[in-house]
Amino acid sequence: MDLVTALARARSAEEPGPDTPAGPAVPPWPGPPLPVPDAGPGDLDLDRLLRLSLLASDRSGRLRPAASAGALHPVDARLVVGARCPLPPGRYGYDPLRHRVHRLGPQPHGTPPGATVELTVTPRRTRSHYGHRAWPLLLLDTGHAAGALWLAAEALGAGPAVLRLDGRTETPLAAVHLPPPTGSPVPGTAPPPRRSAPPPLRGTPPRDDLRVLLGTAVGASAGELAWCAAVGPPDPGLLEAAPDGTLRRLAAGEARPTLAVWAARQAWLAEAGAVLLGRGCPVGADAARIRRTHLRAGFAVQLAQVAAVRRGLAARPVGSWQQADLGAALGAPPGRDLVVHGLALGTTTDEERTS
């Protein structure tokens, strides 16, 4: 099935079938597993970077720095290693459960210093639970992984990471080049390896927090999506970032119950403190645009989620949306601005209130 047809089916009201086996959590990389050596002076700290971005911190592999639909983690990472890395130059497959690499071959000609992480997916893992709704989730998860790598590079003082989220290729879906460090690690910027906050998430975040998070999402989207936040009483409506950095009202009225229906009938969303919404990717978009928009949406929500946690908020990505034509609900022509990704926010969760 081509990606255009797959997205149209994923957006429909059709229900997924019963769960199927997810298969192995790591590809069967060839060759012996190798440890990631400590970095020398001036080298990219690949060990720390992978720990902050991709490494599983539990035996099941479900708890990782990058969010994933159903904690199924379909994203696989191949490393293209150049000079100024602790590993010898070459291509490697990464095992996030054991924090080991497997050498796959020599480095390509012209490999730059540092390391490039190429991100691919094993669709079976996500299809095992989400069935025909898997493809947009696979793309969103890849964007989340790219965001985790970008944040880890920032925390370690590596040179500015170079993103390839253009949607032009199926393999790899995305790549992040991580150059050797140009500065010192930045204290307090390491992304916390933790699970998303469990629902329900209640309590409307302060407007200043919403302003910052909307700004983060807009900046990370590179113009591919428009962002707003649905908030509830006492003044329910949709808010968006104004050009001067303030918040302005996009629409009045309670949107959260409708969002709960659109998001695979997740009823708890109707009481969420706020929901960040990225919309775009019109009906009939070609495969490259579908990939590009969803990759950017996942990247943006990963950055916004980490920013929310740093500000003391509870946050949970919401990636499965059916018939979610927000643009039409706001009076625009139908089929132009559908919800691609979301981030539910709150000041507390039931878990926190009862602990």
Side-chain angles (χ1 to χ4, degrees):
M1 182 182 294
D2 69 274
L3 187 53
V4 177
T5 303
L7 179 60
R9 188 180 175 198
R11 285 172 163 174
S12 75
E14 179 185 352
E15 295 286 344
D19 284 3
T20 59
V26 178
W29 301 120
L34 305 171
V36 182
D38 293 337
D43 286 348
L44 176 67
D45 191 344
L46 197 57
D47 171 73
R48 183 69 175 147
L49 186 138
L50 293 170
R51 289 182 184 275
L52 289 174
S53 59
L54 301 179
L55 176 66
S57 56
D58 66 328
R59 292 183 179 180
S60 72
R62 294 174 64 85
L63 183 59
R64 308 192 197 187
S68 172
L72 291 164
H73 296 287
V75 181
D76 301 317
R78 292 178 173 87
L79 314 179
V80 181
V81 175
R84 295 184 62 189
C85 262
L87 284 168
R91 296 180 64 89
Y92 298 83
Y94 178 59
D95 181 342
L97 301 187
R98 300 168 184 82
H99 193 50
R100 292 291 184 268
V101 295
H102 297 250
R103 187 173 173 85
L104 305 178
Q107 66 177 8
H109 177 71
T111 297
T116 299
V117 183
E118 297 178 342
L119 301 173
T120 61
V121 293
T122 299
R124 175 183 176 182
R125 295 180 205 147
T126 300
R127 285 180 184 151
S128 68
H129 181 64
Y130 293 97
H132 67 275
R133 293 177 179 171
W135 258 110
L137 300 174
L138 291 163
L139 294 168
L140 295 174
D141 279 8
T142 305
H144 276 276
L149 286 160
W150 192 90
L151 288 167
E154 178 187 65
L156 294 175
V162 180
L163 297 169
R164 204 216 74 195
L165 303 176
D166 53 32
R168 294 179 182 175
T169 63
E170 295 182 11
T171 304
L173 283 170
V176 184
H177 177 64
L178 306 152
T182 57
S184 301
V186 182
T189 58
R194 54 168 291 169
R195 65 187 177 97
S196 299
L201 286 64
R202 296 195 177 99
T204 303
R207 289 178 68 92
D208 188 56
D209 288 342
L210 291 175
R211 179 186 58 78
V212 169
L213 299 182
L214 281 170
T216 298
V218 169
S221 296
E224 295 293 340
L225 301 113
W227 290 87
C228 62
V231 297
D235 193 13
L238 296 176
L239 305 176
E240 65 179 359
D244 62 1
T246 62
L247 291 180
R248 65 186 179 191
R249 183 166 295 277
L250 177 63
E254 179 61 89
R256 296 172 302 162
T258 299
L259 299 179
V261 175
W262 285 349
R265 296 192 300 277
Q266 297 183 70
W268 63 270
L269 271 179
E271 298 182 350
V275 187
L276 259 62
L277 299 165
R279 66 189 192 276
C281 196
V283 172
D286 62 22
R289 185 171 182 182
I290 291 170
R291 286 191 290 264
R292 184 172 69 247
T293 305
H294 284 74
L295 291 169
R296 277 288 171 181
F299 178 76
V301 169
Q302 179 69 24
L303 268 59
Q305 182 182 11
V306 171
V309 171
R310 288 175 180 162
R311 298 179 79 87
L313 300 176
R316 183 177 186 86
V318 183
S320 187
W321 297 90
Q322 286 75 54
Q323 301 175 316
D325 195 338
L326 182 58
L330 294 172
R336 281 203 328 204
D337 282 313
L338 284 81
V339 176
V340 175
H341 205 7
L343 182 68
L345 300 164
T347 56
T348 60
T349 67
D350 273 1
E351 210 174 66
E352 292 168 327
R353 283 190 293 273
T354 57
S355 62

